[in-house]
């Protein structure tokens, strides 16, 4: 018996390790997707709302199969179903990286040429002659560019993300229900906390991988790096986004292997005794009720029978008022959380003028570990404080409310707009006029208003292009190009400008450390309630509905939060764009610069508004929960005597039966002994 217990415990630990690795793999690839948002926007020349559609396609994949996988999967071989899901996730991740190998080389708007050992001086202010000079990008759509359009390329990213979503479906509901079925009640919360913690550790490596790949140029190995005239801090820079997806795909593929060798189920306490006893003993133990919250899946249910039970079971689940209120609160909270997390790296880039690589690095090293620590601490506190359902609900509510109050301080951490002539400030640096790109100082130049090729003037103001800065000559090549005689930079026309935007961000650098510190504190406090909130979901419904409840919870959050949140957050962010890029074949591309004040108000305001609504809904939720617990207490107290008497009678009956069984064994052993003596 002890060997069976030890073996079962070892297998459960193996499953826990395997599930943690699968959580790590899916979290790594998911966070890497969010870290590449800026890179994908620039590479495929698409706005933020379309990136939101691509990001939400993962949830669409979940939506297609999650209800059926959660319901039917719990009745079949759960580890093998999880393994198949990991394989599909890996395949989808490889599909996302595919466009890089079939699309052309990345081309960006530039007036800077790269000529080795050349003394040729170009004049950006020569208008139409500009396009005939070597090293300059044409201002009009090139012939046959329709065949090279990037329009269809992002469809591969969308399709791959859908496959990732389908593959991820069985991991959470089947994995968590497997642990909760076969772990002891005391360890279940700790095990779930460990798995959830690992799932938060995954994004650490995902964002670090995103930081590393963002530093590497997208066409590394195919172009000479000396010829690249932009830096990672430039709004036109695109990192090696595809490389991280290949790495994430391999890791996800490895996570599928261990599940294939794990058993369908583990022996419970009752099943171990049945194996050791006789049929008569098993008949009593078989009728013994399972521990609270544990549900043993039916071993011999036909598919037709399970299908007939699906709709009534779902109706029963949705008729549970506490569960429905919980779903509403979680859906609204996740709308706020998903929208915030999806665009937080971009917020750091645009508002505090950090590179994509640095933004991803800070997300991975500072912010995500605080979330992981909070998730684990929440599970540990729940076990030590022995929180019941009401205690878990109050704990999760209080932590969320404290984080909400602290998040309001983000509004005070403002950063001024970058000074861009004709976009955020006028050419005389007095006020903003969006119609002031063309001024008398550049009227003699045939400039394009759609291009984005910023140069930094000697006066500390960024100009959209050297042509719009009125520069007539240039020296040097590549990143070392210097434009001279820029009439818009100085009154006398003798001022110069260098490539790239001006780095005037002293106010941002002072405020940025405070932003990071507050972000870590709020992330830790909010994540403290993550594990208690999740365990509340498991405990507030009947054990038979556990797998379906987890699956429908995932279905609702993905449908009503995971899919729409990135889209409408992205659409609102797009409204704050001040200067759009130009596609190679014409049309609006990715945004080059945002109004940081409007971005901050829209981004933070929407996040906190959604949280406010969720807190209002919590009020009737607590009232219904109190009534439910009161009714359960009354139900337990009324038949208490009958239950006690029934339990005493059952115990006496068991003892009597065991005496009879022992007598039969003794008689049987005596008969066997007599037979042996007779044979001798």
């Amino acid at each position: 018996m002890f060997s069976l217990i030890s073996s079962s415990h070892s297998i459960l630990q193996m499953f826990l390790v395997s599930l943690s690795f699968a959580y790590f793999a899916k979290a790594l690839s998911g966070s890497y997707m969010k870290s590449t948002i800026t890179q994908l926007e620039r590479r495929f020349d698409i706005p933020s709302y379309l990136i939101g559609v691509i990001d939400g396609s993962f949830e669409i994949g979940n939506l297609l199969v999650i209800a059926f996988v959660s319901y039917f999967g719990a009745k079949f071989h759960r580890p093998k179903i999880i393994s198949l899901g990991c394989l599909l996730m890996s395949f989808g991740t490889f599909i996302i990286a595919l466009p890089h190998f079939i699309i052309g080389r990345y081309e960006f708007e530039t007036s800077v040429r790269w000529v080795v050992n050349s003394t040729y001086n170009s004049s950006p202010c020569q208008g139409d002659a500009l396009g005939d000079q070597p090293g300059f990008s044409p201002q009009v759509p090139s012939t046959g560019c329709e065949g090279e359009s990037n329009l269809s390329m992002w469809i591969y990213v969308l399709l791959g993300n859908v496959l990732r979503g389908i593959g991820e479906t069985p991991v959470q509901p089947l994995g968590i229900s497997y642990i909760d079925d076969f772990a002891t009640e005391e360890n279940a919360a700790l095990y779930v906390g460990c798995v959830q913690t690992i799932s938060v550790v995954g994004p650490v490596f995902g964002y670090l991988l995103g930081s590393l790949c963002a530093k590497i140029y997208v066409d590394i190995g195919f172009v000479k790096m000396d010829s690249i005239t932009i830096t990672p801090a430039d709004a036109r820079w695109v990192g090696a986004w595809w490389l991280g997806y290949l790495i994430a795909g391999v890791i996800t593929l490895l996570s599928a292997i261990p599940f294939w060798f794990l058993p369908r189920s583990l022996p419970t306490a009752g099943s171990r005794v049945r194996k050791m006893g006789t049929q008569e003993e098993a008949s009593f133990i078989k009728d013994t009720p399972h521990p609270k919250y544990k549900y043993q899946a039916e071993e011999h249910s036909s598919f037709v029978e399970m299908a007939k039970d699906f709709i009534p079971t779902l109706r029963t689940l949705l008729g549970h008022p506490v569960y429905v209120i919980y779903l509403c609160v979680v859906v609204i909270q996740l709308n706020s959380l998903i929208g915030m997390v999806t665009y937080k790296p971009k917020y750091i880039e645009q508002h505090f003028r950090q590179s994509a690589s640095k933004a991803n690095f800070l997300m991975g090293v500072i912010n995500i570990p605080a979330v992981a620590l909070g998730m684990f601490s929440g599970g540990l506190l729940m076990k030590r404080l022995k929180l019941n359902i009401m205690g878990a609900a109050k704990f999760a509510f209080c932590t969320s409310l404290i984080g909400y109050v602290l998040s309001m301080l983000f509004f005070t951490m403002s950063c001024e707009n970058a000074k861009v002539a004709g976009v955020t400030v006028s050419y005389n640096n007095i006020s903003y006029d969006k119609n002031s790109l063309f001024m008398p100082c550049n009227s003699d130049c045939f400039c394009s208003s759609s291009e984005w090729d910023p140069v930094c003037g000697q006066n500390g103001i960024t100009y959209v292009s050297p042509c719009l800065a009125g520069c007539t000559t240039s020296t040097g090549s590549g990143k070392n190009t210097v434009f001279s005689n820029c009439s818009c930079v100085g009154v006398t026309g003798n001022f110069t400008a260098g490539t790239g935007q001006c780095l005037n961000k002293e106010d941002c650098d002072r405020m940025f450390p405070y932003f990071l510190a507050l972000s870590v504190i709020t992330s830790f406090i909010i994540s403290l309630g993550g594990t208690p909130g999740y365990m509340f979901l498991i405990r507030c419904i009947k054990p038979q509905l556990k797998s379906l409840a987890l699956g429908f919870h995932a279905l609702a959050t993905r449908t009503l939060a995971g899919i729409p949140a990135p889209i409408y957050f992205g659409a609102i962010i797009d409204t704050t764009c001040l200067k759009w890029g130009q596609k190679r074949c014409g049309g609006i591309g990715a945004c080059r610069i945002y109004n940081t004040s409007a971005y901050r108000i829209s981004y933070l305001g929407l996040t906190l508004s959604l949280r406010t609504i969720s807190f209002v809904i919590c009020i009737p939720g607590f009232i219904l929960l109190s009534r439910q617990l009161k009714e359960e207490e009354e139900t337990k107290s009324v038949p208490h005597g009958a239950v006690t008497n029934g339990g005493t009678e059952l115990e006496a009956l068991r003892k009597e039966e065991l005496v009879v069984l022992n007598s039969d064994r003794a008689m049987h052993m005596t008969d066997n002994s007599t037979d042996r003596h007779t044979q001798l």
Side-chain angles (χ1 to χ4, degrees):
M1 179 174 179
F2 289 108
S3 62
L4 286 173
I5 296 175
S6 177
S7 175
S8 174
H9 186 65
S10 299
I11 294 175
L12 184 61
Q13 287 183 332
M14 290 176 59
F15 181 85
L16 181 63
V17 172
S18 302
L19 185 65
S20 298
F21 186 49
Y23 263 68
F24 172 82
K26 77 183 185 69
L28 183 144
S29 58
S31 60
Y32 182 76
M33 162 65 75
K34 296 188 182 300
S35 74
T36 57
I37 280 180
T38 305
Q39 315 297 318
L40 295 176
E41 280 185 14
R42 297 170 182 173
R43 185 65 185 94
F44 299 109
D45 276 326
I46 53 180
S48 295
Y49 84 88
L50 200 50
I51 281 292
V53 174
I54 294 175
D55 188 70
S57 64
F58 176 86
E59 316 300 346
I60 294 176
N62 270 264
L63 173 63
L64 296 175
V65 296
I66 192 167
F68 298 99
V69 167
S70 300
Y71 183 73
F72 296 114
K75 300 175 184 296
F76 294 106
H77 200 301
R78 284 179 280 187
K80 287 189 177 180
I81 295 177
I82 294 175
S83 179
L84 292 175
C86 292
L87 289 174
L88 191 57
M89 271 198 296
S90 176
F91 180 70
T93 307
F94 290 135
I95 291 294
I96 295 176
L98 183 62
H100 173 74
F101 300 98
I102 58 179
I103 200 174
R105 300 287 169 258
Y106 175 57
E107 297 179 7
F108 52 87
E109 307 157 299
T110 181
S111 299
V112 179
R113 56 189 176 81
W114 183 77
V115 183
V116 180
N117 296 328
S118 173
T119 57
Y120 174 78
N121 295 329
S122 62
S123 177
C125 195
Q126 286 183 353
D128 295 335
L130 187 65
D132 300 328
Q133 296 176 5
F136 292 93
S137 299
Q139 299 290 331
V140 296
S142 59
T143 305
C145 74
E146 290 79 7
E148 300 177 3
S149 175
N150 295 341
L151 177 62
S152 61
M153 292 298 103
W154 62 266
I155 297 296
Y156 288 94
V157 181
L158 181 74
L159 176 61
N161 215 27
V162 170
L163 293 178
R164 280 187 58 246
I166 295 175
E168 190 265 352
T169 303
V171 177
Q172 180 177 1
L174 300 188
I176 296 298
S177 63
Y178 191 94
I179 289 177
D180 198 63
D181 280 343
F182 302 113
T184 60
E185 189 173 335
E186 309 83 57
N187 292 330
L190 183 60
Y191 287 167
V192 172
C194 290
V195 173
Q196 298 287 357
T197 300
I198 295 297
S199 70
V200 182
V201 172
V204 174
F205 292 89
Y207 279 108
L208 290 179
L209 182 61
S211 175
L212 176 63
C213 293
K215 289 181 179 179
I216 305 173
Y217 188 66
V218 59
D219 292 322
I220 184 72
F222 298 96
V223 297
K224 293 181 178 180
M225 293 306 299
D226 293 338
S227 66
I228 305 303
T229 59
I230 56 177
T231 65
D234 197 290
R236 296 164 292 175
W237 175 272
V238 176
W241 59 273
W242 53 273
L243 181 60
Y245 287 111
L246 295 181
I247 297 174
V250 172
I251 294 175
T252 308
L253 182 63
L254 294 176
S255 70
I257 299 175
F259 289 104
W260 205 257
F261 302 98
L262 292 171
R264 173 177 177 174
S265 61
L266 298 177
T268 59
S271 63
R272 296 187 196 109
V273 177
R274 283 198 295 272
K275 291 180 181 179
M276 298 180 62
T278 62
Q279 264 187 338
E280 289 82 0
E281 290 172 314
S283 65
F284 277 101
I285 302 171
K286 182 178 177 182
D287 297 331
T288 303
H290 291 291
K292 190 179 181 182
Y293 309 122
K294 306 296 179 182
Y295 171 62
Q296 304 301 312
E298 299 174 13
E299 298 289 339
H300 302 289
S301 298
S302 66
F303 183 84
V304 177
E305 292 175 352
M306 291 186 292
K308 289 180 179 179
D309 293 337
F310 177 71
I311 298 300
T313 306
L314 182 61
R315 189 182 299 114
T316 302
L317 178 65
L318 296 181
H320 196 296
V322 175
Y323 178 77
V324 173
I325 291 291
Y326 174 84
L327 271 185
C328 293
V329 173
V330 169
V331 164
I332 297 175
Q333 287 268 9
L334 283 180
N335 268 273
S336 172
L337 179 64
I338 292 173
M340 180 191 68
V341 172
T342 300
Y343 294 101
K344 191 168 187 178
K346 184 172 182 175
Y347 179 76
I348 294 175
E349 293 175 42
Q350 298 297 330
H351 194 272
F352 295 100
R353 301 170 202 169
Q354 306 293 328
S355 67
S357 176
K358 185 174 181 179
N360 291 328
F361 178 80
L362 293 173
M363 282 287 292
V365 173
I366 297 178
N367 204 270
I368 302 300
V371 176
L373 182 61
M375 294 288 287
F376 180 78
S377 300
L380 197 59
L381 284 173
M382 185 176 182
K383 182 180 180 181
R384 290 191 174 182
L385 298 176
K386 298 180 180 179
L387 298 177
N388 55 15
I389 295 178
M390 180 61 78
K394 290 181 178 178
F395 187 87
F397 177 82
C398 290
T399 55
S400 182
L401 183 61
I402 295 173
Y404 167 81
V405 173
L406 291 176
S407 296
M408 292 183 178
L409 297 177
F410 284 123
F411 281 104
T412 64
M413 300 178 180
S414 60
C415 190
E416 293 183 0
N417 285 317
K419 295 180 180 179
V420 181
V423 179
T424 60
V425 296
S426 65
Y427 274 76
N428 56 11
N429 194 17
I430 297 177
S431 61
Y432 162 53
D433 182 2
K434 64 181 180 180
N435 298 318
S436 61
L437 278 178
F438 298 101
M439 298 292 288
C441 59
N442 56 31
S443 58
D444 295 334
C445 306
F446 296 94
C447 305
S448 170
S449 62
S450 61
E451 70 175 356
W452 177 259
D453 183 21
V455 292
C456 180
Q458 224 177 33
N459 56 358
I461 297 178
T462 299
Y463 296 85
V464 172
S465 69
C467 182
L468 288 170
C471 303
T472 57
T473 60
S474 66
T475 57
S477 64
K479 299 175 184 177
N480 299 319
T481 300
V482 177
F483 299 94
S484 306
N485 297 325
C486 302
S487 57
C488 294
V489 174
V491 178
T492 60
N494 295 323
F495 290 89
T496 61
T499 58
Q501 288 184 244
C502 297
L503 301 178
N504 298 329
K505 54 176 186 174
E506 291 81 7
D507 58 331
C508 298
D509 290 338
R510 286 194 302 268
M511 192 62 65
F512 192 47
Y514 297 102
F515 171 83
L516 291 178
L518 183 60
S519 179
V520 168
I521 294 172
T522 53
S523 298
F524 173 78
I525 293 176
I526 293 175
S527 59
L528 274 175
T531 301
Y534 200 81
M535 295 308 297
F536 171 82
L537 166 64
I538 296 176
R539 304 305 189 203
C540 75
I541 43 88
K542 296 179 180 179
Q544 294 85 350
L545 301 174
K546 182 167 51 184
S547 292
L548 182 61
L550 289 171
F552 194 81
H553 167 266
L555 171 67
T557 54
R558 281 161 170 76
T559 306
L560 303 177
I563 295 175
I567 298 175
Y568 67 76
F569 263 82
I572 290 176
I573 290 173
D574 284 338
T575 62
T576 66
C577 183
L578 296 175
K579 180 72 172 107
W580 291 95
Q582 183 77 15
K583 288 185 178 180
R584 182 168 177 264
C585 299
I588 296 177
C591 184
R592 300 305 187 190
I593 186 171
Y594 291 88
N595 184 333
T596 56
S597 298
Y599 194 146
R600 183 182 71 257
I601 295 173
S602 301
Y603 174 74
L604 298 177
L606 183 58
T607 300
L608 295 179
S609 298
L610 290 170
R611 289 196 200 176
T612 304
I613 297 173
S614 70
F615 291 138
V616 174
I617 299 177
C618 281
I619 297 175
F622 276 109
I623 296 174
L624 291 173
L625 179 59
S626 299
R627 290 179 181 177
Q628 176 183 321
L629 295 177
K630 186 177 180 181
E631 291 174 359
E632 290 179 357
E633 288 296 327
E634 292 176 353
T635 304
K636 289 179 181 179
S637 61
V638 171
H640 180 70
V643 172
T644 304
N645 294 335
T648 305
E649 293 173 3
L650 180 60
E651 187 66 25
L653 188 59
R654 279 191 184 151
K655 289 182 178 179
E656 181 181 349
E657 183 65 20
L658 288 175
V659 170
V660 174
L661 292 172
N662 290 333
S663 300
D664 291 341
R665 285 182 181 175
M667 292 175 62
H668 185 63
M669 292 174 63
T670 304
D671 292 340
N672 290 340
S673 178
T674 305
D675 291 341
R676 291 194 196 97
H677 285 295
T678 303
Q679 291 174 0
L680 290 175

